[in-house]
Amino acid sequence: MTAVHLLAFPIEAPVEETDAHGVSWVSPEAKLWVASRDGEFGGFVEFVDGHYEVTDARGHQLESRGTLREAKELIGTPAPRAGARLALVYVAVGTGATAISLLAVGLGLIRIG
């Protein structure tokens, strides 16, 4: 004889909504909202100790917010591109180091010759 187990409560699928930034939000459980954009994971918001903690797509903890709307805005708004600024610093330092090296080689050749 085969036993059939019935659930005592209905299972509801999480409701998905899309915000003005094109980010889709789904809440798979109470106090947790997961973001995605174009099918890619975008981060999540979790309600902890009276505030909303925000984690981005790379797992970095962002600022906490007092409301869910403000927390979702952190993920929806693109972060400033600090990487481009840092790349320019590396290029400047590398160019300076190359110039100093060429100067040192040039001075070495003058002394030899």
Side-chain angles (χ1 to χ4, degrees):
M1 179 148 96
T2 305
V4 176
H5 299 282
L6 298 176
L7 296 174
F9 56 91
I11 297 176
E12 294 182 26
V15 176
E16 185 173 330
E17 60 184 45
T18 302
D19 66 15
H21 300 288
V23 177
S24 296
W25 290 94
V26 64
S27 182
E29 62 181 56
K31 301 182 182 182
L32 178 67
W33 297 265
V34 180
S36 64
R37 183 177 293 163
D38 299 327
E40 297 290 323
F41 174 68
F44 64 91
V45 174
E46 186 174 19
F47 186 74
V48 179
D49 296 329
H51 62 277
Y52 295 88
E53 293 184 359
V54 182
T55 304
D56 69 8
R58 295 183 177 150
H60 297 116
Q61 185 81 25
L62 302 178
E63 301 171 21
S64 295
R65 292 290 192 243
T67 68
L68 178 59
R69 185 176 58 90
E70 292 172 344
K72 286 180 173 183
E73 283 289 320
L74 279 178
I75 290 181
T77 307
R81 299 276 315 218
R85 214 173 316 154
L86 186 59
L88 288 175
V89 170
Y90 286 141
V91 167
V93 170
T95 302
T98 302
I100 291 171
S101 298
L102 289 173
L103 179 64
V105 168
L107 290 175
L109 290 175
I110 292 172
R111 289 185 187 166
I112 293 175

